[in-house]
Amino acid sequence: MLVLEAMRTPRRGDADSAPALLLYSRTCQHALRAMERLAAHERTRPGTFQRLSALARQIGATPATLGQIAASLGRAGLLEARPGPSGGVRLARPPGKISVLEIIRVVDGTSLEGRCILGFPVCGDATACPAHPVWKRARALLESRLESRSLEDLSRSVQRKHRALSRRARFRLS
């Protein structure tokens, strides 16, 4: 389906912590996970703010890192923040009205455009790497899918994945 389905970055020491090809920065991955968690929070507690420290724990980021990400997302009109003991962050718009690509572009700029999948500093139609013809088509398809996929879609996919993993774990214990 999508590169972003799992929404989990392996930690050092995890059994499956082999290096992965990162199409998006770690900051972008944190932003996507935070926004997904806020969308899930919005389903259960509409309109309420979630504490930044609790959200940081959920996604495996430091509060300082998440604070910087939240500031960027706030400037882009995707998050609202409220200071103080009852403060926190919440989505500024309904999750169905925020595209996954919009979040990526806030954090990583123009997304995948101009990035070479093989890591060459210059790669384009005029100076193509060996993978360029295939990657160019794949990149366009991926960005189209991410543009048409809402944060709500992503959050519900993550919820289904967690349910499936939970069922699989219960099955193994039986």
Side-chain angles (χ1 to χ4, degrees):
M1 183 108 107
L2 276 181
V3 174
L4 307 169
E5 288 289 334
M7 297 300 293
R8 179 182 178 280
T9 302
R11 290 187 175 52
R12 200 174 310 200
D14 280 358
D16 50 359
S17 64
L21 174 65
L22 299 177
L23 295 177
Y24 301 105
S25 69
R26 183 159 317 272
T27 301
C28 187
Q29 292 173 11
H30 285 317
L32 287 165
R33 284 195 301 273
M35 293 293 283
E36 182 278 320
R37 293 288 69 219
L38 287 170
H41 182 80
E42 182 66 22
R43 274 197 308 278
T44 59
R45 302 189 63 205
T48 61
F49 287 84
Q50 187 169 9
R51 299 198 50 78
L52 208 56
S53 58
L55 186 57
R57 271 193 309 280
Q58 287 179 36
I59 68 166
T62 66
T65 297
L66 187 55
Q68 292 173 344
I69 293 168
S72 295
L73 294 168
R75 284 190 299 275
L78 299 179
L79 282 186
E80 292 178 4
R82 182 169 68 187
S86 62
V89 292
R90 69 178 178 193
L91 298 175
R93 301 192 324 245
K97 302 287 185 189
I98 299 171
S99 80
V100 173
L101 188 59
E102 187 176 3
I103 299 164
I104 292 168
R105 285 188 172 149
V106 166
V107 180
D108 274 0
T110 59
S111 183
L112 297 175
E113 195 167 317
R115 292 189 191 175
C116 176
I117 196 163
L118 296 179
F120 287 99
V122 178
C123 183
D125 291 337
T127 57
C129 77
H132 183 75
V134 173
W135 174 234
K136 181 179 177 181
R137 286 191 300 273
R139 181 181 63 218
L141 178 61
L142 177 60
E143 289 196 354
S144 171
R145 293 287 307 270
L146 294 173
E147 178 66 38
S148 67
R149 184 119 192 231
S150 73
L151 181 58
E152 180 66 23
D153 298 333
L154 178 64
S155 182
R156 291 199 183 277
S157 292
V158 170
Q159 183 181 34
R160 283 191 299 273
K161 180 163 181 84
H162 286 304
R163 276 195 217 124
L165 290 172
S166 178
R167 280 193 301 272
R168 188 175 298 150
R170 282 194 305 262
F171 179 75
R172 274 191 233 135
L173 292 175
S174 331

